[in-house]
């Protein structure tokens, strides 16, 4: 069947479509139906089923005779090690860690925060939680203690599972002191911390609270898989919104299993047994869905890569790992490949590697620039597929379903909506706009299975953030248009979220940190275009009257403050002191105009601007930082 037929089939009978997809999951109690819409506009899927995620990701493959198949290939150029974990070994490890958690009183519905580097044990920790019905919340290692503390207070975990350190190319990042500091800051105190000690940087254990990963598992009974109801939260993943308070995206168990499994063949075109590699981090949604869950649910081999695209040891590292493991499909953020292209523009590092197993390369997480797509396409001679999705959805909203048919690629477009998603472009008043017109991208409710049913502990915020702007639609926060062939183009965010090296960050959150500096009266952070990272944050600081300390000193303190309170991942390295910020007469900061000036794009003087002369000062400041060129 063609994409058009499958999409039309879903439109005609969504219930039938998802019940058919649900047959690929091993249920303890099969769902009686797919959609539960009695609380619309809040929806649930497969709510009356009972099922276990770890069973579907691990145990059922062992039971079917695939225990010897590699589940995880670990490649760690930063430590110079690699290893294989078979499905049978993974089952044992998940059961043992699940047992250790149970022995410490962690059960169904309890939260467990996971703070781990890219090691196989990160996946074991996630799956062990799923096995016993605990709800994990993975926190990315590049966040500072204060960010971890916010998540501890919101998720109120009974236990934490952490690695003692992460390894960046230029330094060891000791996680354990960050964890200790976060627990110190947080009002909520976890009862147990299970620490995976790494020889590169072991941590000190706090007696009575902390226990070593291996010691915790000694003598405990292996945990069986505990079935949970279809709407049970599989995990919470915090993502950036418009303020410093992150949003706890809830992932529902049954829909997650059904939808992710469906994507492996249809969106990514891989069969069970093949090797699938998402070069991301378990701290992000791509890592949750496509390093951990989807490949394992679908019985693929997944790769856990602890390294960077360049410098670990060189720009050939991706190709080397692909050849070694005969990777069939590869997925990463465009920024990672821009880094490779910048280091090796002629793709000299590619020659000599046999990449005949690689059929498709997928990009997501930020806009895929045509230059990078063309460079990849020319050098790899395989389809380079952009696709658009969000933490909230957990999988593709708009893509090119190579497992169904590979549609012609239009540069700049992630292609077409996937079954489950009725994507519309809306005007400010919520009217669907004609083809070709730019507007807010929204998805007609209900969202498909596996997408967020709510925000953790924040249903009102969920409704306000996503469901209240356009009646009957989910607001994506992205703006774009749909062309005459139905191809969707993603142009910009409509909120304060910026995308730095494929990492989603809140400029509002950074502004809150800057505003906390004693000398800062007012501030703004914008995302300025960057050749490598897509966007980078730039801060504008207005100082309190009478402050006579050197601007450089205050800027340096502000940079340190963001690194300390949000984390190195914010990549906040540039700020300038200005007299005033450009505002509308009603006091709204004109961030959009500042971004256009920074990027050297044409812009119009906003009719509502309070004092146009301020923009000259902003332009000079941006030029001083190397922005605001001629475009
Ligand atoms: N733990 C601790 N620190 C981390 C970290 C982690 N897990 N990940 C990143 N950091 C630090 C980096 O060391 C860097 O610190 P520095 O300011 O001291 O140099 C800082 O956070 C910024 O990191 P990043 O933006 O990643 O920049 P980079 O220069 O280290 O690497 C790329 C640039 C493009 C190579 C890298 O961002 C990359 O591979 N991106 C892929 C994006 C990705 O996987 N996105 C997920 C969605 S698909
Ligand atoms: P995250 O939740 O971190 O996955 O970030 C989601 C956001 O990243 C989206 O709302 C978009 O703004 C952006 N994004 C993700 N994929 C794409 C893509 N293929 N093209 C353009 N922007 C994208």
């Amino acid at each position: 069947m063609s994409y058009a037929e499958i999409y039309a089939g879903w439109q005609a009978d969504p219930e039938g479509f998802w019940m058919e997809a649900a047959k690929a999951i091993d249920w303890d109690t099969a769902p009686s139906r797919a959609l539960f819409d009695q609380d619309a506009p809040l929806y649930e899927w497969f709510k009356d089923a009972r099922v276990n995620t770890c069973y579907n990701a691990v145990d059922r493959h062992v039971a079917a005779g695939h225990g010897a198949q590699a589940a995880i290939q670990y490649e760690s150029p930063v430590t110079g090690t690699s290893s294989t974990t078979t499905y049978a070994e993974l089952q044992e490890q998940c059961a043992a860690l699940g047992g250790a958690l149970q022995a410490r009183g962690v059960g169904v519905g309890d939260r467990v925060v996971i703070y781990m580097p890219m090691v196989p044990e990160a996946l074991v920790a996630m799956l062990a939680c799923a096995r016993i019905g605990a709800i994990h919340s993975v926190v990315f290692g590049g966040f500072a203690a204060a960010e971890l503390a916010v998540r501890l207070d919101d998720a109120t975990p009974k236990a934490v599972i952490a690695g003692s350190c992460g390894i960046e190319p230029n330094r060891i990042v000791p996680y354990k002191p960050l964890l200790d500091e976060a627990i110190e800051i947080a009002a909520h105190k976890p009862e147990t911390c299970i620490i995976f000690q790494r020889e590169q940087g072991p941590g000190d254990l706090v007696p009575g609270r902390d226990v070593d990963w291996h010691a915790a598992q000694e003598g405990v009974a292996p945990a069986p898989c505990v079935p949970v109801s279809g709407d049970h939260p599989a995990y919470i993943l915090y993502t950036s919104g418009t303020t410093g308070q992150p949003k706890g995206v809830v992932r529902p168990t049954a829909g997650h299993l059904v939808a992710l499994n469906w994507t492996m063949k249809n969106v990514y075109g891989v069969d069970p047994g093949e090797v699938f590699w998402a070069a991301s981090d378990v701290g992000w949604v791509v890592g949750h869905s496509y390093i951990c869950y989807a490949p394992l649910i679908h019985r693929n081999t997944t790769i856990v890569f602890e390294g960077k695209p360049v410098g670990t040891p060189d720009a050939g590292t991706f190709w080397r790992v692909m050849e070694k493991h005969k990777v069939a499909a590869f997925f990463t953020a465009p920024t990672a490949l821009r880094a490779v292209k910048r280091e090796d523009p002629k793709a000299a590092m590619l020659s000599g590697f046999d990449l005949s197993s690689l059929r498709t390369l997928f990009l997501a997480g930020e806009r895929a620039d045509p230059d990078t797509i063309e460079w990849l396409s020319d050098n790899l001679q395989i389809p380079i597929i952009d696709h658009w999705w969000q933490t909230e959805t957990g999988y593709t909203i708009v893509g090119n379903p190579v497992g169904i048919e590979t549609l012609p690629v239009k540069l700049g477009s992630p292609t077409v909506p996937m079954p489950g998603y009725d994507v519309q472009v809306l005007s400010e008043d919520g009217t669907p706009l004609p083809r070709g017109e730019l507007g807010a991208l929204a998805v007609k409710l209900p969202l498909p299975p596996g997408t967020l049913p709510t925000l953790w502990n924040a249903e009102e915020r969920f409704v306000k953030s996503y469901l209240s702007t356009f009646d009957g639609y989910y607001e994506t926060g992205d703006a774009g248009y749909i062309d005459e062939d139905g191809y969707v183009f993603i142009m910009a965010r409509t909120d304060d979220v910026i995308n730095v090296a494929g990492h989603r960050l809140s400029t509002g959150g950074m502004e809150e940190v800057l505003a906390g500096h004693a000398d800062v009266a007012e501030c703004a952070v914008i995302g300025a275009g960057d050749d490598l990272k897509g966007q980078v944050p730039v801060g504008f600081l207005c100082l309190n009257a009478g402050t006579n300390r050197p601007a450089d000193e205050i800027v340096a303190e502000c940079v340190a403050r963001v690194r300390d309170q949000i984390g190195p991942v914010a990549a906040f390295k540039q700020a300038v002191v200005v007299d005033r910020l450009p505002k509308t007469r009603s006091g709204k900061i004109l961030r959009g105009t500042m971004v256009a000036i920074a990027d050297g794009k044409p812009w119009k003087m906003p009719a509502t601007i309070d004092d146009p002369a301020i923009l000259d000062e902003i332009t000079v400041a941006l030029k001083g930082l190397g922005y605001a060129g001629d475009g």
Side-chain angles (χ1 to χ4, degrees):
M1 275 209 283
S2 67
Y3 156 76
E5 287 165 327
I6 290 182
Y7 190 81
W10 161 73
Q11 275 183 310
D13 179 17
E15 183 74 16
F17 179 90
W18 290 117
M19 284 303 272
E20 182 60 32
K23 288 183 185 159
I25 298 307
D26 282 25
W27 304 97
D28 289 85
T29 307
S32 68
R33 61 195 163 100
L35 182 65
F36 288 74
D37 58 1
Q38 67 279 7
D39 297 325
L42 305 178
Y43 298 90
E44 310 256 25
W45 294 88
F46 310 112
K47 188 181 163 87
D48 65 1
R50 293 195 74 78
V51 68
N52 183 277
T53 298
C54 186
Y55 181 80
N56 276 276
V58 184
D59 296 54
R60 66 167 172 167
H61 307 316
V62 178
H66 301 290
Q69 183 191 319
I72 303 172
Q73 297 289 8
Y74 171 52
E75 285 296 331
S76 174
V78 293
T79 58
T81 55
S82 55
S83 66
T84 304
T85 309
T86 65
Y87 272 101
E89 288 163 346
L90 186 58
Q91 183 182 26
E92 255 177 48
Q93 292 172 16
C94 295
L97 185 64
L101 287 166
Q102 283 176 331
R104 281 160 181 79
V106 179
V108 176
D110 288 329
R111 275 80 57 212
V112 176
V113 160
I114 298 175
Y115 191 54
M116 297 279 279
M118 282 295 291
V119 292
E121 287 76 7
L123 275 59
V124 173
M126 294 162 80
L127 292 162
C129 289
R131 191 172 189 88
I132 63 167
I135 304 167
H136 64 66
S137 187
V138 181
V139 180
F140 179 61
F143 282 120
E147 287 285 328
L148 179 55
V150 169
R151 287 154 175 80
L152 291 174
D153 275 338
D154 197 69
T156 59
K158 196 169 241 182
V160 173
I161 304 177
S164 61
C165 71
I167 302 166
E168 286 296 288
N170 55 356
R171 65 190 190 283
I172 303 284
V173 183
Y175 284 3
K176 186 59 184 28
L178 289 171
L179 173 63
D180 291 342
E181 192 187 336
I183 295 176
E184 183 77 30
I185 302 170
H188 174 80
K189 312 287 178 198
E191 287 167 27
T192 304
C193 297
I194 298 181
I195 307 298
F196 178 69
Q197 296 282 25
R198 307 190 75 187
E199 64 182 41
Q200 294 80 4
D204 295 333
L205 301 187
V206 174
R209 185 195 74 191
D210 298 349
V211 54
D212 168 76
W213 171 278
H214 297 288
Q217 299 179 38
E218 267 164 31
V220 302
C225 294
V226 180
V228 295
S229 72
D231 60 345
H232 181 74
Y235 66 77
I236 306 163
L237 178 58
Y238 289 91
T239 190
S240 299
T242 46
T243 67
Q245 178 68 26
K247 296 170 171 171
V249 167
V250 171
R251 187 76 57 216
T253 298
H256 181 230
L257 283 164
V258 173
L260 287 193
N261 185 70
W262 185 88
T263 62
M264 288 307 287
K265 177 68 191 168
N266 294 285
V267 175
Y268 297 103
V270 293
D271 289 314
E274 291 193 300
V275 183
F276 182 89
W277 180 16
S280 176
D281 188 286
V282 286
W284 307 113
V285 68
V286 175
H288 280 65
S289 293
Y290 292 106
I291 296 174
C292 183
Y293 288 112
L296 297 178
I297 294 164
H298 195 247
R299 195 173 53 78
N300 291 102
T301 298
T302 188
I303 295 190
V304 170
F305 174 73
E306 189 181 28
K308 300 271 173 177
V310 293
T312 59
D314 55 36
T317 200
F318 279 171
W319 320 132
R320 189 171 295 114
V321 173
M322 283 180 204
E323 178 190 69
K324 177 172 174 190
H325 293 296
K326 300 192 169 41
V327 171
F330 177 69
F331 175 179
T332 195
T335 191
L337 293 162
R338 282 198 296 272
V340 175
K341 175 170 161 253
R342 190 164 81 168
E343 193 102 347
D344 182 22
K346 296 208 158 56
M349 305 289 298
L350 188 58
S351 65
F353 289 115
D354 172 6
L355 299 189
S356 52
S357 62
L358 185 70
R359 293 196 297 273
T360 331
L361 186 149
F362 296 89
L363 299 171
E366 55 167 337
R367 182 174 170 271
D369 54 293
D371 275 1
T372 304
I373 295 188
E374 279 172 338
W375 181 81
L376 289 165
S377 193
D378 289 349
N379 287 300
L380 292 170
Q381 297 289 321
I382 54 167
I384 308 301
I385 304 294
D386 181 18
H387 57 329
W388 172 56
W389 50 298
Q390 310 184 309
T391 305
E392 288 84 344
T393 64
Y395 61 99
T396 323
I397 309 169
V398 167
N400 191 338
V402 301
I404 299 172
E405 68 172 313
T406 306
L407 296 166
V409 168
K410 286 195 194 187
L411 287 180
S413 168
T415 317
V416 290
M418 292 298 94
Y421 292 94
D422 178 353
V423 179
Q424 303 273 341
V425 179
L426 303 179
S427 69
E428 268 178 30
D429 67 5
T431 321
L433 288 168
R435 294 282 161 104
E437 279 193 32
L438 185 70
L441 286 163
V443 182
K444 204 157 193 334
L445 294 173
L447 287 175
T451 56
L452 82 171
T454 190
L455 292 174
W456 182 253
N457 276 338
E459 190 140 291
E460 245 178 66
R461 186 175 183 199
F462 170 67
V463 173
K464 191 163 171 277
S465 308
Y466 301 105
L467 307 183
S468 56
T469 309
F470 305 116
D471 198 26
Y473 291 90
Y474 162 83
E475 183 184 6
T476 65
D478 283 307
Y481 66 93
I482 304 181
D483 77 2
E484 63 286 357
D485 299 323
Y487 279 57
V488 181
F489 289 76
I490 318 297
M491 304 307 288
R493 287 289 301 192
T494 56
D495 57 14
D496 298 344
V497 166
I498 58 171
N499 203 312
V500 181
H503 307 138
R504 176 168 158 181
L505 298 164
S506 163
T507 52
M510 294 185 214
E511 288 173 6
E512 283 171 28
V513 172
L514 297 176
H517 187 288
D519 292 324
V520 173
E522 207 182 10
C523 63
V525 175
I526 61 163
D530 181 82
D531 285 347
L532 177 64
K533 297 195 176 188
Q535 287 180 303
V536 289
V538 177
F540 297 85
L541 313 168
C542 300
L543 304 184
N544 289 320
T547 304
N548 51 16
R549 295 180 53 215
D552 285 1
E553 221 172 276
I554 296 174
V555 164
E557 285 165 9
C558 283
V559 166
R561 209 176 152 83
V562 175
R563 191 177 174 95
D564 191 48
Q565 293 193 21
I566 297 181
V569 68
F572 183 85
K573 302 206 163 158
Q574 307 172 91
V576 274
V577 171
V578 290
D579 283 341
R580 293 164 302 166
L581 295 171
K583 290 186 187 169
T584 62
R585 281 188 284 276
S586 60
K588 199 169 163 287
I589 298 172
L590 290 160
R591 292 184 182 77
T593 310
M594 293 162 82
V595 172
I597 296 174
D599 293 350
K601 295 221 172 104
W603 55 277
K604 272 203 215 118
M605 182 62 70
T608 52
I609 193 164
D610 184 33
D611 177 0
I614 300 176
L615 289 177
D616 295 336
E617 191 193 348
I618 296 293
T619 307
V620 171
L622 281 165
K623 279 188 193 291
L625 292 174
Y627 297 98
D630 297 328

